[in-house]
């Protein structure tokens, strides 16, 4: 009975709201607008109350059940910060702040601007619960003292020590990493942890193998000058063998039975920590909980693996030479739990060494097959490629049951037909032919004309390098869903078209740096008519567009354009890439009355997939009228201040609405905009005021509300508040607060546009290019009507 009354009340309110909105749109008397805005906002508030009373069933759940849901959300497989739950409503705020179990997993990192306040909030709301703490080093002594004083170290039960992510390569972060080990020791020496049970060490590179760190952590007893936490080291351990004596470390592993993850990084010098060549009877190293082992260096891998007793090992990564393969196989064939294997192999063993060996029961195989370490090995360069090919086939037979296969090789003569035939059960297949480092001239592969291989289980196919055209000729996979081709310079359009036609379930196609042989550009097979395909997701670079000109994408929903690099130059030994251009006009040339537009059913247009700096996008204004079904669009940051793409989109939509005297002429279904530039706030607000009042009026002129914006950073509250009011479908107060003057001197352009005072007054400014400080480089933020 009550539900019927609410429905009737809702319909009456919607009818009244439609009349008021129509009057707002059509009135010419500006003096009435304020009254109409107030009336409309009041009606929207009532509709929102009815909507919440119908759908907000969370408020009816018992607090105990809500606690369990929130704990699963915050502490599950993909942990989230509980702070986001505080912003939903007052009821959730009360539940979350009175659930101490939600606040027991503390992560402290200097990358968080307000890390001190967050740490104290965790300690406060967790009450007296034990804490699982992760510290992302390095910290200064003052910061560590603050953590020890305010971080409730007496309640720490587990401590994870990890390296900060940093930026750039490990080589650039090397000085930063070297400061991590002293910081760790300072904390362990100067703080007392009475309830600490576990310590996980996950430091990288230099800090992972610091002699000073490990001589303390592995000390038998604690003294005035040392720290002994050997009995606490548990699940994760990463060691750089460049700094550590390997035999001593192997002996220490006997006292770490709780290890789950063990990784040895490569050493720079082959003689550091070297062991004798003679194999002696040694006691086994029993690690019953070990799940993952990574050995990224050769001299000591087999020494460890022969002694290791880990019945639960699931993932294994090893770098091997040809002589070690038979011994390696003997060591792993009895590990029944092994599911994922990554091998980096130099050359291959002889056929006789691998004959009559039963295959391993694997799910994931990653094999990187490289030339010998020494490019001057003339015996290899002059050897018989066919014999090595037979040896590789014999080796791959050991992994024929793998479902996910990744094979990368630089060998000149590979029997791809026989290799592909081995993996009949594969669901994901990645094959890459890289360029060899030796100087032997590679012969151009002749076109394949033999029988095809039926791979009925294959769902994803990834091809890279010179093998692409050959592989497309060999493979027949009727159930294939995803195809990705990268760096293929010899593929023919008719070969690709024939493969797509044979794959009736193909839905996703990715073509990057793909082009035809120069000899075949003018001799491309012509088709009498366009070929319709069922693709829903297409990612393509500019040079690959001519490869698909004969395909008709009648049901395409996602289009990702990566553009084309205009040139590469080298200055002082460093490659410099010219600007990337993204051309949309070629997709318009095929639109006729008989042939539907590629944009007809497009839901998502992504122009940011290439992650290029300042790409030039041409033709967007011509494409916008054809995006009648688009719900989401991503727009990259422009180089010139006068070429802001998000402003072009918004102004095109506003102009079409004014010219047609109705809503929804252009992009009527647009719900989300991702932009790497800040828009003109007045134009954006004007668009929201035209579109979002229909939020509570279903099917009002076929227009949808713009519900989500992704911006480089949050704008100032003076901008954000009226923006969110407009996103709710309401009209903001026209006498609101004023934002900061964009022409204020000093600071970057983005801060001026987003309403903030810039903290970097010396930022470089250019009259042609928008300047940007670090505030706007931490990643996009999502803005909706309520968050």
């Amino acid at each position: 009975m009550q539900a019927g009354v609410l429905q009737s009340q809702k319909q009456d309110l919607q009818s009244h709201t439609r009349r008021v909105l129509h009057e707002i749109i059509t009135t010419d008397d500006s003096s009435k607008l304020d009254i109409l805005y107030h009336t409309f906002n009041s009606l929207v508030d009532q509709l929102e109350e009815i909507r919440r009373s119908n759908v907000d069933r969370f408020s009816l759940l018992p607090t105990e059940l809500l606690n369990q849901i929130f704990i699963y959300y915050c502490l599950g497989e993909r942990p989230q910060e509980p702070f986001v739950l505080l912003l939903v409503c007052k009821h959730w705020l009360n539940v979350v702040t009175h659930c101490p179990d939600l606040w027991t997993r503390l992560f402290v990192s200097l990358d968080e601007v307000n890390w001190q306040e967050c740490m104290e909030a965790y300690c406060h709301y967790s009450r007296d619960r034990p804490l699982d703490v992760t510290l992302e080093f390095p910290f200064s002594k003052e910061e560590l003292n603050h953590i020890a004083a305010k971080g409730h170290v007496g309640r720490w039960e587990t401590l994870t020590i990890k390296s900060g992510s940093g930026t750039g390569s490990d080589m650039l972060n090397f000085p930063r990493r070297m400061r991590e080990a002293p910081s760790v020791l300072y904390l362990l020496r100067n703080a007392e942890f009475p309830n600490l049970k576990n310590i996980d060490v996950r430091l990288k590179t230099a800090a992972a193998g610091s002699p000073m760190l490990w001589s303390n952590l592995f000390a038998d007893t604690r003294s005035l000058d040392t720290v002994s936490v050997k009995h606490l080291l548990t699940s994760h351990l990463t060691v750089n063998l460049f700094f550590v004596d390997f035999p001593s470390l192997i002996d220490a592993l006997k006292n770490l039975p709780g290890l789950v993850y063990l990784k040895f990084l490569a050493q720079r010098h082959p003689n550091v920590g070297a062991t004798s060549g003679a194999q002696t009877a040694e006691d086994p190293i029993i690690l019953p909980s070990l799940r993952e082992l990574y050995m990224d260096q050769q001299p000591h891998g087999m020494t460890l693996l022969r002694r290791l007793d880990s019945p639960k090992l699931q993932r294994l990564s090893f770098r091997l030479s040809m002589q070690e393969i038979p011994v390696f196989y003997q060591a792993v064939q009895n590990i029944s739990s092994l599911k994922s294997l990554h091998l980096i192999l130099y050359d291959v063993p002889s056929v006789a060494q691998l004959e009559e060996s039963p295959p391993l029961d694997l799910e994931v195989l990653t094999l990187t097959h490289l030339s010998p370490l020494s490019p001057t090995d003339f015996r290899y360069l002059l050897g018989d490629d066919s014999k090595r090919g037979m040896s590789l086939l014999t080796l791959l037979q050991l992994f024929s049951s793998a479902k996910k296969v990744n094979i990368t090789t630089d060998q000149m003569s590979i029997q791809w037909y026989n290799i592909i035939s081995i993996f009949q059960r594969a669901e994901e297949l990645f094959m890459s032919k890289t360029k060899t480092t030796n100087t032997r001239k590679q012969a151009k592969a002749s076109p394949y004309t033999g029988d095809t291989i039926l791979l009925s289980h294959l769902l994803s196919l990834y091809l890279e390098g010179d093998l692409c055209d050959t592989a497309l000729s060999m493979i027949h996979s009727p159930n294939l869903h995803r195809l990705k081709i990268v760096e293929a310079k010899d593929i023919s359009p008719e070969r690709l078209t024939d493969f797509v036609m044979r794959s009736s379930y193909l839905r996703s196609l990715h073509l990057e740096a793909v082009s035809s042989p120069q000899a075949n550009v003018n001799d491309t097979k012509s088709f009498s008519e366009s070929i319709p395909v069922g693709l829903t997701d297409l990612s393509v670079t500019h040079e690959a567009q001519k490869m698909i000109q004969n395909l008709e994408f009648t049901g395409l929903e996602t289009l990702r354009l990566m553009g084309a690099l205009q040139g590469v130059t080298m200055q002082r030994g460093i490659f410099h890439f010219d600007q990337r251009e993204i051309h949309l006009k070629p997709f318009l040339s095929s639109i006729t009355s008989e042939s539907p537009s590629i944009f007809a059913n497009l839901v998502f247009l992504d122009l940011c997939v290439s992650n290029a700096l300042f790409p030039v996008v041409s033709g967007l204004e011509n494409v916008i009228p054809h995006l009648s079904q688009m719900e989401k669009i991503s727009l990259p940051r422009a180089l010139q201040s006068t070429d802001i793409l998000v402003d072009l989109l918004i102004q095109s939509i506003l102009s079409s609405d004014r010219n047609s005297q109705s809503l929804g002429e252009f992009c009527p279904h647009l719900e989300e905009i991702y932009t790497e530039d800040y828009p003109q706030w007045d134009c954006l607000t004007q668009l929201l005021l035209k579109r979002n009042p229909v939020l509570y009026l279903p099917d009002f002129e076929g227009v949808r509300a713009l519900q989500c914006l992704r911006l480089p950073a949050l704008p100032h509250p003076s901008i954000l508040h009226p923006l969110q009011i407009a996103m709710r479908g309401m009209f903001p107060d026209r006498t609101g607060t004023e934002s900061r003057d964009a022409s204020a001197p000093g600071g970057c352009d983005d801060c001026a546009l987003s309403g903030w005072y810039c903290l970097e007054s010396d930022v470089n400014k250019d009259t042609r290019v928008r300047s940007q400080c670090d505030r706007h480089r931490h990643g996009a933020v999502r803005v909706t009507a309520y968050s």
Side-chain angles (χ1 to χ4, degrees), residues 4-68:
V5 173
L6 287 175
Q7 184 64 25
S8 176
Q9 184 182 359
K10 178 181 177 181
Q11 292 176 353
D12 292 340
L13 286 172
Q14 286 179 339
S15 299
H16 191 185
T17 305
R18 288 176 188 271
R19 292 194 298 271
V20 175
L21 180 59
H22 180 73
E23 190 172 354
I24 291 174
I25 296 174
T26 58
T27 186
D28 295 327
D29 189 354
S30 59
S31 61
K32 296 181 179 180
L33 285 178
D34 287 336
I35 298 176
L36 291 173
Y37 287 166
H38 180 75
T39 303
F40 183 87
N41 290 348
S42 177
L43 292 171
V44 168
D45 284 335
Q46 296 178 54
L47 287 170
E48 176 66 12
E49 288 296 327
I50 293 176
R51 186 188 70 83
R52 290 185 177 181
S53 65
N54 286 333
V55 302
D56 187 14
R57 304 301 184 186
F58 258 76
S59 60
L60 304 179
L61 295 177
T63 301
E64 294 78 7
L65 182 55
L66 269 180
N67 286 340
Q68 294 302 316

Side-chain angles (χ1 to χ4, degrees), residues 293-310:
L293 174 62
Y294 299 86
M295 179 63 72
D296 191 22
Q297 53 84 50
Q298 280 188 273
H300 306 305
M302 295 311 306
T303 303
L304 172 63
L305 197 60
R306 283 196 305 268
R307 299 177 58 185
L308 194 63
D309 184 2
S310 301

Side-chain angles (χ1 to χ4, degrees), residues 83-99:
F83 292 108
V84 68
L85 301 175
L86 302 177
L87 305 176
V88 176
C89 62
K90 292 182 180 180
H91 177 58
W92 283 26
L93 172 66
N94 182 64
V95 172
V96 171
T97 54
H98 288 81
C99 180

Side-chain angles (χ1 to χ4, degrees), residues 106-110 112 115 119 133-137 139 147:
L106 172 61
F107 181 84
V108 183
S109 171
L110 296 182
E112 299 290 339
W115 66 271
M119 180 186 69
V133 182
T134 298
L135 300 181
E136 191 174 77
F137 281 81
F139 295 96
I147 292 174

